[in-house]
Amino acid sequence: MHAENRSPSVFLPSTASELLELRRKMPRATLWAGGTGLMSRYYPYPYPLSRDIISLCNVPELSRISRTERYLDIGAAARLDQVLTVGHHILPPLLAKALREVGPSPITGRATIGGNLCIPDLRLNLAGALSLFSVQVELRGDPSLRTQSRQISLNKLYRKEGGLALKETEVLTRIRIAFEQGDFQQFHHIGFPYRHPDEAVIFCVFVNHGESSISDFRFSLTFPSIGIFRDKEIESLVISTSLPLKSWEIQGASMVLKKTLQSYSSRILPIQHAREVQAFERSLTQLNTRSVSR
Amino acid sequence: MKIDCQLNGKPKEFYVSSDIPLLQLLTEYAHISTLHPDCGKGMCGNCIVLLDDLPVLSCLIPAFEIRGRQITTLERFQKTRDYTDIIKGFERTDSMPCSYCFSSKILLAHGIISRNVSPEPDEILQTYSIHACTCLDVSQIVKAVAQAGTYRGRRRRYARRK
């Protein structure tokens, strides 16, 4: 009877292999990094979800950040402040803004990049922003694999029906972001994605353009409790149009977006719909303004 | 679980469940009275304490994370010179926080000006966005923290010259 009330056991592995061994033995243990997500949904003692906690704080490999000429490699337990400090000059502005807007310094000083990506039922700032880049995540701990780890694209980390496509014993260990230069990048969150996921939206856009036309256009719309929306058709509608965009071109792209969003999910609220479409139109208008003022 | 830490400069031992929030440990077990949390979920910003001299939301820190670390609450902080700088800044700009959020607003100001004695208004506003209490206008907060930073910078320069 009293076993229910025992204090959860906390395990503090100091290497990645220790962590994976613990994870294999206790697949249902709660993985603990910054804890900003877990604690804010916290149920006071006795904790109903798991009797065991594996803390990632003492695994230096998971908080290491390194860079090559082409990639930025970030350990999954790296704090957001740490990523912002180290990658201040090399992070794409869109990604830097997404990191900064996770919260004020008491939050970003504790929250981790892996934590932000791995809340199963929420898609937050980083998931939306990173979906525009070529991002690989490293997963370790799958016993059926001969190799120690597998690399998948970030988009494959999320199931379409919600939740994470991770095996029971797997742990997200690294995130690899390919460097890309963009002429126009924007990140906006409207509402509070964490507090009010059903109303908030996140809009990200990444554009490359020459003197007179758009050569690359990517955008993502994130509905925190539903998923991330990207549409290649709308992107290809905008690509190769000449700058400045005509108002009918903006209206046309926006109309297609409105229709596609209606068929995307019935759970999108009208307020989210309106917010995303407006953000999309505004970004195209701002792109126009910028191209004219160049 | 046994938790050893330094609370307000004194070594303490607590026998608590490893996953209770630091906030609960401080209010129920250590009887700290300066915290006035409203939500317990990281929403109100009224439970800020210093963990190794950095402001954190104590409702988001589990007890096992504080082993071997230093926790400072307003009880101890108000006996320091750093506190004097901040309180002078708030007094000078005629903007005193209410008794509910006083502790958190002061400790947040400390967090900002320890990093940078002349913070940008944006930095101040972003840090204070964690706070739900509206007892002060944002412009008052910006002025007060900037003023506190001026006092802190002046005191540091004076100490260096000595």
Side-chain angles (χ1 to χ4, degrees):
Chain A
M1 181 180 132
H2 297 293
E4 283 280 299
N5 287 339
R6 79 171 167 86
S7 167
S9 309
V10 182
F11 298 89
L12 297 156
S14 53
T15 62
S17 50
E18 265 180 49
L19 161 69
L20 297 175
E21 186 60 27
L22 283 169
R23 186 68 172 158
R24 195 180 56 77
K25 285 182 188 161
M26 297 175 289
R28 301 196 66 189
T30 305
L31 285 181
W32 188 275
T36 49
L38 288 170
M39 288 298 278
S40 50
R41 298 166 173 210
Y42 188 77
Y43 303 97
Y45 178 74
Y47 191 60
L49 298 180
S50 167
R51 308 307 308 153
D52 300 303
I53 296 169
I54 303 175
S55 170
L56 309 179
C57 305
N58 291 356
V59 187
E61 196 182 330
L62 293 190
S63 42
R64 203 170 289 149
I65 301 175
S66 58
R67 65 172 286 200
T68 63
E69 272 183 22
R70 294 174 59 199
Y71 301 107
L72 180 66
D73 254 340
I74 306 171
R79 313 253 178 219
L80 302 186
D81 264 359
Q82 196 188 340
V83 181
L84 274 169
T85 315
V86 174
H88 183 64
H89 297 292
I90 49 174
L91 283 174
L94 157 69
L95 196 54
K97 195 173 176 206
L99 285 166
R100 269 197 303 274
E101 297 207 350
V102 167
S105 54
I107 301 283
T108 51
R110 296 204 54 80
T112 60
I113 192 159
N116 197 284
L117 291 174
C118 286
I119 297 180
D121 52 346
L122 280 183
R123 303 286 167 268
L124 298 174
N125 292 18
L126 286 182
L130 289 175
S131 70
L132 298 185
F133 297 95
S134 165
V135 177
Q136 296 279 316
V137 292
E138 183 191 72
L139 305 173
R140 291 173 73 175
D142 181 358
S144 63
L145 288 179
R146 281 186 188 173
T147 51
Q148 277 195 327
S149 62
R150 64 182 175 123
Q151 306 260 349
I152 59 167
S153 144
L154 176 70
N155 301 333
K156 289 188 180 157
L157 185 65
Y158 303 115
R159 289 206 184 98
K160 276 190 183 163
E161 63 276 16
L164 299 173
L166 283 176
K167 296 200 174 134
E168 212 179 23
T169 54
E170 270 186 327
V171 182
L172 171 71
T173 49
R174 296 198 78 71
I175 295 113
R176 172 173 278 191
I177 306 166
F179 290 126
E180 270 186 281
Q181 296 287 333
D183 296 321
F184 179 79
Q185 301 179 42
Q186 280 194 332
F187 172 91
H188 294 297
H189 70 80
I190 308 165
F192 299 96
Y194 194 78
R195 294 181 199 180
H196 307 294
D198 294 329
E199 291 174 10
V201 292
I202 297 165
F203 175 80
C204 306
V205 65
F206 179 93
V207 184
N208 267 314
H209 59 84
E211 284 295 309
S212 59
S213 68
I214 296 170
S215 54
D216 187 7
F217 181 86
R218 294 172 232 167
F219 77 103
S220 73
L221 313 177
T222 308
F223 303 94
S225 56
I226 301 169
I228 300 164
F229 171 89
R230 268 195 79 179
D231 191 287
K232 301 270 177 191
E233 270 182 44
I234 301 173
E235 288 177 2
S236 57
L237 262 180
V238 180
I239 291 173
S240 77
T241 47
S242 53
L243 284 169
L245 295 162
K246 317 279 181 301
S247 63
W248 62 266
E249 284 173 325
I250 297 176
Q251 290 300 324
S254 160
M255 283 302 286
V256 179
L257 176 65
K258 274 181 200 168
K259 278 185 191 161
T260 325
L261 273 183
Q262 273 161 2
S263 57
Y264 172 62
S265 170
S266 56
R267 286 164 57 205
I268 298 176
L269 295 182
I271 188 170
Q272 287 180 306
H273 192 278
R275 281 171 164 177
E276 290 286 32
V277 172
Q278 275 184 16
F280 179 77
E281 285 175 3
R282 197 173 52 231
S283 75
L284 289 182
T285 314
Q286 283 172 356
L287 173 65
N288 258 357
T289 316
R290 232 186 88 140
S291 69
V292 171
S293 62
R294 253 159 70 117
Chain B
M1 184 182 197
K2 183 184 164 194
I3 311 270
D4 292 308
C5 63
Q6 291 262 332
L7 176 60
N8 290 333
K10 291 178 187 158
K12 290 268 180 188
E13 277 180 10
F14 297 99
Y15 291 88
V16 291
S17 172
S18 54
D19 64 344
I20 66 162
L22 171 60
L23 170 66
Q24 195 181 343
L25 187 146
L26 290 175
T27 51
E28 288 178 18
Y29 296 86
H31 307 294
I32 297 292
S33 58
T34 48
L35 300 169
H36 302 283
D38 285 334
C39 70
K41 285 186 174 183
M43 309 285 179
C44 69
N46 273 352
C47 63
I48 287 182
V49 296
L50 299 177
L51 181 65
D52 292 340
D53 215 34
L54 288 175
V56 292
L57 288 165
S58 59
C59 64
L60 298 187
I61 311 281
F64 71 83
E65 281 252 312
I66 62 162
R67 283 188 300 183
R69 301 176 76 176
Q70 288 204 16
I71 300 132
T72 311
T73 64
L74 189 71
E75 273 90 343
R76 160 91 175 177
F77 185 70
Q78 63 192 0
K79 293 173 186 158
T80 62
R81 284 187 163 189
D82 289 346
Y83 172 80
T84 318
D85 298 331
I86 297 165
I87 210 70
K88 270 161 68 183
F90 275 88
E91 273 172 1
R92 178 75 190 262
T93 52
D94 223 359
S95 43
M96 267 298 160
C98 69
S99 59
Y100 267 89
C101 67
F102 184 81
S103 161
S104 298
K105 283 210 168 96
I106 298 293
L107 295 177
L108 273 180
H110 172 69
I112 297 171
I113 61 175
S114 333
R115 282 198 309 265
N116 178 7
V117 287
S118 13
E120 294 292 319
D122 282 351
E123 189 187 343
I124 300 172
L125 290 180
Q126 216 224 349
T127 306
Y128 274 89
S129 67
I130 204 165
H131 229 281
C133 184
T134 51
C135 63
L136 290 182
D137 184 65
V138 286
S139 61
Q140 284 178 300
I141 293 174
V142 170
K143 277 184 204 160
V145 177
Q147 188 63 47
T150 312
Y151 286 128
R152 176 77 58 92
R154 207 178 286 167
R155 186 163 63 79
R156 274 189 196 164
R157 280 195 298 276
Y158 183 68
R160 246 180 263 142
R161 249 185 272 147
K162 262 189 163 182

